[in-house]
Amino acid sequence: MTDNKRLIEDYLPIEKLSLEALEENKKRTAHIKVMHQWWARRPLVACRAAVASALLPADFFRPDSGQEKRESLGRASAAKFILELCQHPASLAGAANARKHIYEAHAERLTKETSKKVSADDIISGKAPRPKVLDLFAGGGAIPLEALRLGCEAYANDLNPVAHILQLCTLVYPQKYGKPDPSARGMTGPKGKDGQPTWGGLVEETRHWGDWVLQQVKSEIADIYPLIPDPDTDGKKQEVPQDFWQNSESEAVPPGFLAPIAYLWTRIVPCKNPKCRADVPLVRFTWLRKKEGDYAALKIVAPRGKKQVHFEIVTAQSENGLGFNPETGSEAGNAACPFCGSVADSAYAKTEGCTGRISRQLMAVAAVSGVRRGKIFLAAEQAKLALPKAELIEKRLGELCTSTGISIPDEPLIDDSKNSFWVTLYGPKNYGDLFTRRQLLALLTFCATIREAGKRICEDTGDAERAKAVVSELALALDKIADCNNLLCPWEPEAQCSRHLFSRQAIPMLWDYGESVPIGGSAGNWNEHLGRVIAGMETVKNTGVPAIVMRGSATATGLAAASIDAVITDPPYYDNVSYADLSDFFYCWMKRSIGHLYPEHFATQGTPKKSEAVADAARHDGNRDKARRAYEEMMAKAFGEAYRVLKPSGIMVVVYAHKTTLGWATLVDALRGNGFTVVEAWPMDTEMGARMIAMGTAALRSSIFLVARKREGAETGNFEEAVKPELEQIVRERVETLWGMGISGADLVIACVGAGLRAFTRFARVEYANGEEVPAERFL
């Protein structure tokens, strides 16, 4: 092995880095995660620390003399440097300082490799190459983004088309088109010599065309979200303003009316008692508002002689003051009939759903007023007259699909409840089934308008690539609208708004939901999500030159052999997350909004499944062994590709957060079998403890950053004489140091396992005294 030891092999201030990572996870601003949903993102500060410490020499911060003092002073200086660099939001000064150090270290390595004098200035001027960093499984793009920020030549690879578009919108377009260009025609920039507007930069153009899209959509669908006569007015009949939603200057609600912001629905099934057959509401709870001193909920009333309940709004200053418990609704689809008491159990609900007999009932509408403060709730009977007729929606949907050629999503849902697609057990078969007809009309209108914006930008600028960049960013906003406007968005009484679907890595069934108004001014609307996309773009537009974004298998990148300085990647964790299945939700909307601009990525019905590295038995006729072997083979090939493209002196960092022995054995075999030795492991607290995926799964609170080098030779090690003693020494040292850093429980065990892999993986083969090979699973 090389003696070119890197900082990540020697020291990281893990405890303080973990605290910074957790603080970053709590924030929703100045971050790429607000641009689009992606699962299992790692904090940017953790990725930044990994990139910087993988490229800087271990002795970079050490003084020249005094070994013991040199060690402590060096670590103190390294800790100061890393912590100043790894803040959120990122410090421009800290990043600039890090780039300087990284270029100096890289220039020294290039001098040794080429036997020609290379300086940091040569790298800055482009006379010498920048350090190259590859992420084989780039996903949401956090690792390559931080490589860009630190002045590297960043390579982002992913098989998934949704991830690929997200990476283009994060790692390429903001950097390429971020600044105003006086030579290019645009819509919002300063005027050129001819008096015509010039290109104002991607952020400005996205904002301009996002506003244009909203106004066009409002003009098309405003009437399907009509204002509601305010029941608290003096009773005078007033004409409903038809142009309310089109007014871009002010959306103050006119006197006498309320503007809807969300419609609250419950699913219903016919009572299983043949003598009753009333509609049974499956609502889980009936809370509307939970605010200290101000509570509101719906009381379910079952009128005698009727077949359907109605809902009354009750308000109080305390929960007890309501006089009933809003929590006594259905549990997992089991609900008692309010009229006869018969229980419609979950199995019955599944049968009714699969035969198309689950329907819905409006419970209430949340609205705002121009004169009254706060959210106003109306019971369904008060707002029913303000609902558009179903026949109108169907007619408009048909006309839109015919005139634009854009279809209602018919891509099939994965029929696999184990894979967390539980909604399919209750009837939905394709992605179009996850939306109301009104939601479909709104979303398809956005799709058509985004396409039209692309055509107009091309006409204005004469630059098809710029147009593609703008509308791709707009497509991210549309995806966020779809995430917040579907049949699976729970009502949040504390915030008094609908939440989005993907609060967990699943598409579950939901018995009641909030239908937001995407053209309105409350949560889940276009302006909110466009603003988040733009905020994310603002944070990345100054990160340097664009990344090299590639879409393909991690097993064959096409990069030159021995060309990459560091491979830093966060691979899929065995069977934790099926990214392809989940991202089909967004794939079907991207296909309709911008798919025509990327025909090579949206030619198929859904995202690629066959080549995805995941141990999913459903893709192998339910055979878990086949699924496991397929995953192991793909991971082995991917790490073999990493070995091929990595320079002899290069570093590989693998982020891992899985606590099953089988998952770790697969990882170890893939690394060791491809010639890697694990030289260090760092646990970093990167996860939010309350996240849904952490509950009862194989996920860890900490991610383990495994550091690997290319192994020299193919030596066989004796387990009893060489491996076990070294392992025991490593574990003792790790327990002592990590316990002092606050690492405990499963995270401590796995961190020790990660570090202990050095004793095992430094040999190509490990044997017991009798010559029997020690497999990775047994070692673990």
Side-chain angles (χ1 to χ4, degrees):
M1 259 191 311
T2 178
D3 59 357
N4 182 24
K5 195 173 185 180
R6 308 290 169 83
L7 182 58
I8 198 169
E9 298 172 89
D10 180 65
Y11 171 73
L12 283 177
I14 289 301
E15 187 175 12
K16 291 183 179 178
L17 269 177
S18 294
L19 292 174
E20 192 65 34
L22 290 176
E23 282 302 308
E24 178 190 326
N25 270 334
K26 296 175 185 177
K27 297 174 183 177
R28 301 293 300 174
T29 58
H31 205 292
I32 58 171
K33 68 184 176 186
V34 303
M35 296 178 71
H36 197 276
Q37 173 71 33
W38 195 256
W39 301 271
R41 287 183 186 269
R42 297 290 162 253
L44 298 181
V45 295
C47 298
R48 198 176 310 145
V51 174
S53 60
L55 295 173
L56 287 170
D59 60 359
F60 191 88
F61 300 97
R62 291 174 184 165
D64 293 331
S65 60
Q67 183 59 39
E68 185 175 340
K69 189 175 181 181
R70 182 172 180 261
E71 188 81 15
S72 61
L73 288 176
R75 290 191 170 187
S77 297
K80 181 181 178 183
F81 165 79
I82 289 291
L83 294 174
E84 286 179 353
L85 172 64
C86 298
Q87 301 172 2
H88 185 78
S91 161
L92 291 177
N97 184 45
R99 283 195 297 273
K100 175 178 175 291
H101 291 336
I102 288 170
Y103 285 169
E104 288 171 356
H106 186 59
E108 186 176 335
R109 283 193 290 270
L110 287 176
T111 298
K112 291 179 181 178
E113 289 173 8
T114 64
S115 299
K116 294 179 181 179
K117 179 62 177 176
V118 178
S119 68
D121 289 338
D122 292 332
I123 299 172
I124 294 169
S125 66
K127 294 178 182 178
R130 290 173 290 135
K132 296 180 180 180
V133 176
L134 166 65
D135 185 352
L136 288 166
F137 303 95
I143 291 171
L145 171 65
E146 294 309 319
L148 283 185
R149 199 189 304 277
L150 296 176
C152 302
E153 189 171 304
Y155 292 80
N157 180 78
D158 207 288
L159 180 66
N160 193 298
V162 174
H164 181 71
I165 299 300
L166 180 53
Q167 289 161 24
L168 288 173
C169 290
T170 307
L171 307 172
V172 176
Y173 295 147
Q175 293 80 4
K176 187 175 182 180
Y177 300 117
K179 296 178 181 178
D181 184 357
S183 66
R185 289 292 176 84
M187 289 296 295
T188 61
K191 291 184 178 180
K193 293 180 180 179
D194 58 0
Q196 296 299 315
T198 55
W199 182 266
L202 187 61
V203 166
E204 293 78 11
E205 294 294 316
T206 302
R207 183 179 290 112
H208 171 83
W209 284 103
D211 292 342
W212 182 86
V213 165
L214 179 59
Q215 292 311 310
Q216 297 302 309
V217 171
K218 282 181 176 181
S219 68
E220 294 289 334
I221 65 170
D223 60 324
I224 67 174
Y225 301 104
L227 295 181
I228 305 168
D230 190 342
D232 280 5
T233 56
D234 57 10
K236 292 180 181 179
K237 188 175 181 181
Q238 300 182 64
E239 186 176 345
V240 178
Q242 297 300 312
D243 61 347
F244 168 70
W245 294 115
Q246 286 91 339
N247 184 356
S248 60
E249 297 299 322
S250 171
E251 289 191 347
V253 183
F257 293 94
L258 303 174
I261 60 169
Y263 303 80
L264 279 61
W265 301 86
T266 177
R267 287 181 169 85
I268 55 176
V269 294
C271 177
K272 66 190 304 183
N273 180 353
K275 294 182 179 180
C276 179
R277 301 304 286 172
D279 289 338
V280 181
L282 300 176
V283 59
R284 300 162 301 141
F285 62 78
T286 60
W287 280 111
L288 297 173
R289 177 169 53 235
K290 291 177 77 172
K291 190 177 176 182
E292 187 67 32
D294 186 6
Y295 297 86
L298 291 167
K299 184 177 182 180
I300 300 175
V301 179
R304 185 172 296 177
K306 301 290 185 180
K307 294 290 186 183
Q308 191 174 75
V309 302
H310 70 260
F311 298 90
E312 295 179 356
I313 295 175
V314 180
T315 60
Q317 294 181 335
S318 67
E319 292 190 38
N320 291 335
L322 293 171
F324 66 98
N325 184 3
E327 305 280 349
T328 55
S330 70
E331 293 185 12
N334 301 301
C337 175
F339 295 92
C340 74
S342 298
V343 175
D345 56 44
S346 178
Y348 174 73
K350 289 174 184 175
T351 301
E352 292 297 286
C354 290
T355 53
R357 287 192 292 270
I358 286 184
S359 53
R360 63 180 184 148
Q361 179 182 347
L362 182 67
M363 298 188 294
V365 176
V368 291
S369 164
V371 294
R372 290 195 272 164
R373 296 181 62 184
K375 305 286 195 311
I376 299 165
F377 295 99
L378 301 177
E381 282 68 22
Q382 296 174 294
K384 247 176 205 174
L385 296 177
L387 289 176
K389 293 185 177 180
E391 296 81 4
L392 170 67
I393 300 294
E394 288 301 322
K395 180 174 180 291
R396 297 268 289 280
L397 259 177
E399 291 172 348
L400 177 65
C401 292
T402 299
S403 64
T404 63
I406 304 175
S407 63
I408 292 172
D410 59 357
E411 291 81 358
L413 287 158
I414 300 298
D415 188 13
D416 176 25
S417 59
K418 179 186 178 299
N419 205 30
S420 301
F421 278 65
W422 302 301
V423 69
T424 58
L425 299 175
Y426 298 88
K429 299 297 182 187
N430 57 56
Y431 280 95
D433 294 338
L434 301 185
F435 301 86
T436 70
R437 306 303 277 182
R438 176 163 59 177
Q439 287 171 334
L440 287 171
L441 178 57
L443 290 166
L444 290 173
T445 303
F446 272 110
C447 286
T449 311
I450 288 172
R451 287 190 174 200
E452 180 61 27
K455 293 178 184 177
R456 296 196 176 211
I457 299 168
C458 273
E459 293 170 359
D460 288 343
T461 65
D463 190 333
E465 287 302 308
R466 288 179 183 273
K468 183 190 283 191
V470 173
V471 296
S472 296
E473 302 289 353
L474 295 179
L476 299 191
L478 172 63
D479 279 7
K480 291 176 73 67
I481 290 287
D483 189 16
C484 292
N485 285 271
N486 56 72
L487 287 162
L488 302 169
C489 295
W491 178 255
E492 175 54 70
E494 284 83 4
Q496 300 172 65
C497 67
S498 296
R499 293 177 60 190
H500 67 127
L501 163 59
F502 288 110
S503 58
R504 60 189 304 177
Q505 296 160 356
I507 299 183
M509 184 56 173
L510 194 67
W511 302 111
D512 47 89
Y513 59 93
E515 180 189 5
S516 299
V517 179
I519 59 173
S522 190
N525 71 85
W526 173 262
N527 271 335
E528 175 190 18
H529 293 306
L530 176 67
R532 288 180 175 174
V533 171
I534 289 172
M537 292 164 62
E538 289 276 17
T539 68
V540 301
K541 70 179 184 181
N542 294 318
T543 51
V545 299
I548 294 89
V549 171
M550 309 173 294
R551 187 184 153 238
S553 172
T555 63
T557 63
L559 297 172
S563 62
I564 300 297
D565 295 281
V567 175
I568 304 174
T569 193
D570 183 4
Y573 304 152
Y574 200 65
D575 60 352
N576 261 21
V577 182
S578 293
Y579 295 94
D581 293 342
L582 292 168
S583 61
D584 275 344
F585 178 93
F586 297 113
Y587 180 90
C588 71
W589 289 111
M590 280 189 176
K591 185 195 293 187
R592 285 158 177 79
S593 61
I594 57 172
H596 61 293
L597 301 175
Y598 302 92
E600 70 276 26
H601 303 312
F602 292 93
T604 56
Q605 192 172 42
T607 58
K609 310 292 192 301
K610 188 176 180 181
S611 300
E612 185 188 24
V614 61
D616 186 357
R619 299 181 191 173
H620 299 273
D621 301 320
N623 190 315
R624 292 184 180 181
D625 289 336
K626 281 186 179 180
R628 175 180 58 80
R629 287 195 298 271
Y631 171 77
E632 290 171 354
E633 288 171 6
M634 278 185 269
M635 289 301 292
K637 288 179 181 178
F639 286 171
E641 178 68 358
Y643 188 95
R644 185 187 70 82
V645 302
L646 194 63
K647 290 180 178 180
S649 62
I651 284 281
M652 184 169 179
V653 180
V654 180
V655 185
Y656 207 64
H658 198 276
K659 67 184 180 186
T660 68
T661 301
L662 192 56
W664 272 87
T666 300
L667 177 71
V668 173
D669 282 337
L671 285 168
R672 191 172 67 122
N674 282 289
F676 284 107
T677 295
V678 175
V679 295
E680 190 52 270
W682 298 102
M684 202 173 301
D685 208 344
T686 61
E687 309 298 336
M688 297 184 72
R691 74 199 193 285
M692 299 296 288
I693 192 64
M695 300 176 184
T697 72
L700 294 164
R701 189 183 69 178
S702 294
S703 295
I704 308 300
F705 286 64
L706 289 173
V707 185
R709 287 273 196 175
K710 286 187 171 183
R711 184 175 58 242
E712 293 180 357
E715 187 180 351
T716 296
N718 182 282
F719 178 75
E720 289 85 358
E721 295 177 3
V723 176
K724 189 177 180 181
E726 184 180 356
L727 173 64
E728 291 173 346
Q729 181 182 348
I730 291 170
V731 171
R732 277 196 299 270
E733 182 270 330
R734 278 305 159 105
V735 168
E736 182 178 337
T737 57
L738 294 178
W739 184 269
M741 293 181 180
I743 307 295
S744 61
D747 293 288
L748 176 61
V749 173
I750 297 300
C752 291
V753 168
L757 290 175
R758 180 172 67 234
F760 185 70
T761 59
R762 70 185 179 93
F763 297 105
R765 176 184 171 92
V766 174
E767 295 178 349
Y768 292 115
N770 62 5
E772 179 189 351
E773 183 176 8
V774 182
E777 192 170 357
R778 191 181 299 178
F779 171 79
L780 290 165

